[in-house]
Amino acid sequence: MAVALNNRRREAEVTLTEIVEKYPDFPRLVALKIDVQRRGVHYTERAESVVDSSIHQMRSPYIFGSRDGQIRPLPESLILRDGTSILTDPTPLEQNPYLVDLVDGRLALINEGEVVEFVELWPKPRYYDKQTSSGVPMSHIASARPQRLNIFQSSFCHFWAEKQECRFCDIVNHTKQQKDELGVPTRLKPRDVYETVREALKEPGRFTGMCLTAGSVLKGEEIFDREVDYYIETLQAIGENFTTKKFPSQLIASAFNEKQLARLYEQTGLMSYTSDLEVLGEKMFNWICPGKAQSVGYREWRQRLIRAVDIFGRGNVGTGLVGGVELAKPSGFTNEDDALASTLAEAEYLAEHGVTTVYIVWVPRPGSYFRDQQNPSLDYFVRLARGLHNLRVKYGLGVDFDDYRRCGNHPDTDLSRLL
Amino acid sequence: MAVQLTNEIIDLLNNQETTKVLATLDADGFPHAALKQSLQPGENDTILYLEFLESSRTNKNLVRSIWFDKKVAIALRGQGGECYQIKGTPVKTHIAGPLFQEHYAAVREKHGDVDLAAVWVIEPEEIIDETFAVRRAEEEAAHPLFLHLDRRARQG
Ligand code: SF4
């Protein structure tokens, strides 16, 4: 059987096979997911020929952009046979992505001419064909994953306005592109969100949770008050769809104070709270997230997370990392062992206080400040996933709100299927 | 290597009155056997297992099986006393998509307000007829010495 060849390889890279041999207690399928996320994918023409936009989910509005900097009608992403989602995006061939090709009538991930694993495309939810009463395509209001609804309620981030954006982030550049090319609204109306969720719930078994997120809004009597108001308004609108006050949900937002967190918890159906430190360690945080560092500061951000545990409970509060960005040039760690040790030590401090840490694979995107850099090795990401998972085991911390099914973007929480 | 399911096994799997047990291995290699009436035939000689509880021991063990290539065993006992053991491997799990949603609707129709976590696909690799009369005949033919002498003692 013929498969497309792609022989370009990063210099002296340790291969997936070598990593699987080195870490026999680490699932091969999760290691594969990491590697595909690290390197991205390229859909061959043969693969594209079997994509059917009436049943497969095509790329929909997302908070961050893709590696090729383009918005094209390609499949949203992939799912492996163990139910592991791979969130990845189209990547230029020069960057040595995995190929998605058609082999014996099935889609497969190909590396160096070999079939690595057969894959499936994400199924399209029924609400994607509908519009809200105000005429907005519902796929522009909520984007789907295999079992989750993503609501990116605003793509404005105050830190960009002050040129203090996180160095890996491309939110504003990508938003401009989405608005220009697709007409995606930059700020969602709570009524549109309500209607979209209502429609999504008409498909039995399709979703197990939802996630709301947006950029930071500093305005208000106290910093972030406006951001909190807007989330409350949207969550209350969503809540009208449910018979119970609380519904499985995650908010990824700025580091709110106790008063703001209590309002969110008491006035909405929200069940978990995440505020991303993005990178652990004060020095790295100050360099990589200058806006966050200046507005709140590393220690206070961390304390706010810890205080959130008193409100949302252990296992319901988390922080996200852009895994690997701690090795960015020129001020990041210069070796992976030091980066890992530092990150895990900080994550342990958070775990001791009931805050769970998850990571996504850092992808240097063309619309970000770190655009020309390269992410770390597969070995590093495997060790990071194991390390964060082992902390959850050690401290008996659950991560139900952000696991393989309710999120699907964290290799470390894929491992929590065994917790 | 995958083996074909006989019609008798397919009938047993389809029959609600059949007793069905799924045995999996935990992290320490201890067997975990549980009654699983949702076992049913799937497409292409596979067996489906519907998992209702995401955090069940069986579900975790199945995840471990698909990740680290560990086997599972299924025991079936029909109303007429016929028994089979099927050894196999979980090769796929549907946690979303058309097949998952089809079963999700079906289990809720049948059982009321229950959830569905996964539809596991198990590929059978060995089928052993464990029906007592069959096993006894096999043993008597292969091991004529395996018996207590009193069973052959002249009476009176
Ligand atoms: S807080 Fe940082 S990562 Fe989040 S949207 Fe703003 S700049 Fe981007």
Side-chain angles (χ1 to χ4, degrees):
Chain A
M1 97 210 122
V3 293
L5 274 170
N6 176 16
N7 284 320
R8 270 168 291 220
R9 192 171 150 181
R10 296 179 186 199
E11 267 171 55
E13 280 240 305
V14 180
T15 65
L16 174 68
T17 310
E18 287 160 345
I19 289 296
V20 171
E21 275 167 19
K22 185 171 174 188
Y23 302 105
D25 59 343
F26 194 90
R28 174 184 166 275
L29 290 171
V30 179
L32 171 63
K33 165 198 180 125
I34 296 174
D35 210 29
V36 176
Q37 291 187 323
R38 273 177 75 235
R39 289 168 45 187
V41 288
H42 173 81
Y43 293 88
T44 65
E45 277 181 26
R46 269 191 301 234
E48 284 193 51
S49 73
V50 296
V51 176
D52 178 351
S53 62
S54 69
I55 56 169
H56 299 134
Q57 185 179 322
M58 305 304 279
R59 292 181 66 72
S60 41
Y62 198 66
I63 196 156
F64 302 122
S66 70
R67 243 175 287 218
D68 64 3
Q70 295 180 32
I71 299 178
R72 289 190 296 140
L74 285 170
E76 185 78 81
S77 213
L78 308 168
I79 188 161
L80 294 170
R81 63 189 166 86
D82 65 342
T84 295
S85 293
I86 305 180
L87 279 90
T88 186
D89 43 70
T91 302
L93 276 172
E94 315 78 77
Q95 292 179 27
N96 186 32
Y98 278 80
L99 298 181
V100 180
D101 200 6
L102 196 64
V103 180
D104 299 335
R106 297 163 70 191
L107 291 175
L109 281 166
I110 309 290
N111 188 43
E112 302 196 340
E114 299 287 333
V115 174
V116 183
E117 201 52 53
F118 287 98
V119 286
E120 287 180 10
L121 302 176
W122 290 3
K124 176 178 145 179
R126 284 187 216 140
Y127 77 83
Y128 263 41
D129 290 328
K130 304 260 164 80
Q131 290 197 342
T132 65
S133 56
S134 66
V136 183
M138 288 188 175
S139 62
H140 289 185
I141 302 294
S143 58
R145 288 185 187 168
Q147 289 270 285
R148 124 158 155 175
L149 280 169
N150 270 326
I151 296 158
F152 304 126
Q153 67 167 12
S154 148
S155 28
F156 171 80
C157 178
H158 190 94
F159 300 137
W160 277 78
E162 305 204 332
K163 294 200 169 30
Q164 291 204 311
E165 74 275 12
C166 304
R167 297 309 185 214
F168 52 80
C169 177
D170 68 350
I171 187 172
V172 167
N173 291 336
H174 179 59
T175 299
K176 277 190 204 130
Q177 190 185 10
Q178 278 191 156
K179 189 163 182 261
D180 295 348
E181 295 181 28
L182 302 175
V184 177
T186 49
R187 186 184 159 104
L188 305 183
K189 295 195 181 86
R191 220 56 216 159
D192 285 338
V193 179
Y194 159 78
E195 288 176 18
T196 303
V197 172
R198 187 184 58 186
E199 201 58 40
L201 298 180
K202 290 180 185 165
E203 197 176 359
R206 185 61 178 81
F207 297 106
T208 55
M210 72 181 69
C211 174
L212 271 78
T213 193
S216 283
V217 180
L218 307 188
K219 285 188 185 147
E221 207 170 293
E222 290 188 87
I223 183 173
F224 306 131
D225 265 352
R226 283 274 181 82
E227 189 180 328
V228 175
D229 291 345
Y230 188 27
Y231 281 128
I232 288 176
E233 201 187 345
T234 306
L235 280 161
Q236 285 178 342
I238 293 170
E240 288 176 42
N241 287 299
F242 295 98
T243 54
T244 47
K245 184 178 175 207
K246 293 283 171 187
F247 49 89
S249 45
Q250 178 186 22
L251 174 67
I252 306 177
S254 299
F256 300 143
N257 64 29
E258 278 162 293
K259 214 161 78 187
Q260 291 163 336
L261 289 167
R263 280 172 61 210
L264 265 170
Y265 188 76
E266 283 156 18
Q267 295 176 22
T268 75
L270 186 65
M271 289 180 75
S272 74
Y273 169 71
T274 298
S275 190
D276 294 339
L277 277 161
E278 320 286 7
V279 63
L280 296 182
E282 192 161 8
K283 196 171 141 226
M284 289 299 151
F285 183 81
N286 290 347
W287 173 51
I288 294 171
C289 305
K292 290 186 177 195
Q294 203 176 76
S295 62
V296 177
Y298 183 75
R299 285 165 200 229
E300 176 60 14
W301 201 289
R302 204 174 54 175
Q303 274 315 110
R304 287 180 177 213
L305 278 164
I306 291 167
R307 288 195 286 263
V309 177
D310 293 335
I311 294 167
F312 284 86
R314 266 176 73 84
N316 298 320
V317 176
T319 191
L321 309 182
V322 178
V325 81
E326 54 279 9
L327 284 142
K329 293 187 172 77
S331 305
F333 288 96
T334 50
N335 86 65
E336 292 185 350
D337 288 344
D338 292 346
L340 191 72
S342 164
T343 299
L344 292 180
E346 275 290 301
E348 177 144 20
Y349 174 82
L350 288 162
E352 275 168 9
H353 292 85
V355 178
T356 202
T357 303
V358 304
Y359 85 88
I360 59 168
V361 172
W362 171 40
V363 172
R365 298 181 189 280
S368 71
Y369 182 85
F370 281 158
R371 62 187 153 271
D372 296 324
Q373 307 223 13
Q374 187 167 311
N375 52 22
S377 69
L378 175 58
D379 190 285
Y380 181 73
F381 284 119
V382 164
R383 287 193 290 154
L384 183 58
R386 275 200 336 178
L388 294 176
H389 173 71
N390 288 343
L391 287 175
R392 274 189 282 279
V393 173
K394 182 172 174 186
Y395 291 94
L397 265 181
V399 65
D400 293 354
F401 66 97
D402 213 1
D403 66 359
Y404 84 104
R405 183 181 206 121
R406 274 140 289 268
C407 177
N409 201 14
H410 309 300
D412 56 295
T413 72
D414 287 342
L415 305 178
S416 70
R417 293 172 82 177
L418 299 182
L419 271 181
Chain B
M1 252 248 317
V3 294
Q4 267 197 325
L5 295 180
T6 61
N7 286 341
E8 190 186 359
I9 301 236
I10 291 172
D11 290 346
L12 276 173
L13 283 164
N14 273 324
N15 192 336
Q16 289 302 306
E17 304 304 322
T18 302
T19 303
K20 306 169 188 175
V21 174
L22 175 60
T24 54
L25 290 172
D26 73 11
D28 301 316
F30 289 130
H32 173 76
L35 275 175
K36 298 292 181 187
Q37 293 303 111
S38 72
L39 286 160
Q40 56 190 266
E43 285 190 340
N44 304 321
D45 285 306
T46 59
I47 297 172
L48 300 185
Y49 162 62
L50 309 188
E51 174 58 64
F52 288 20
L53 300 174
E54 183 93 58
S55 67
S56 78
R57 284 187 180 85
T58 297
N59 201 38
K60 286 177 194 167
N61 292 348
L62 287 168
V63 171
R64 199 172 285 111
S65 289
I66 201 168
W67 280 353
F68 302 111
D69 203 21
K70 303 262 183 257
K71 306 292 176 203
V72 300
I74 293 166
L76 303 175
R77 186 180 192 278
Q79 278 177 304
E82 64 277 38
C83 290
Y84 288 94
Q85 185 178 168
I86 303 160
K87 293 184 183 172
T89 306
V91 291
K92 186 175 170 79
T93 183
H94 297 259
I95 59 115
L99 184 90
F100 175 81
Q101 286 181 236
E102 190 186 302
H103 283 284
Y104 178 85
V107 298
R108 289 184 54 80
E109 170 96 33
K110 188 170 166 195
H111 300 289
D113 186 21
V114 291
D115 213 308
L116 182 67
V119 178
W120 284 94
V121 182
I122 297 166
E123 197 170 80
E125 286 160 17
E126 188 184 358
I127 300 175
I128 306 163
D129 190 340
E130 298 275 14
T131 308
F132 184 66
V134 174
R135 282 289 299 115
R136 177 181 167 159
E138 280 173 4
E139 175 152 310
E140 284 175 0
H143 305 284
L145 274 72
F146 287 5
L147 59 86
H148 283 92
L149 294 180
D150 58 280
R151 288 179 56 208
R152 295 289 180 267
R154 204 181 292 278
Q155 298 298 311

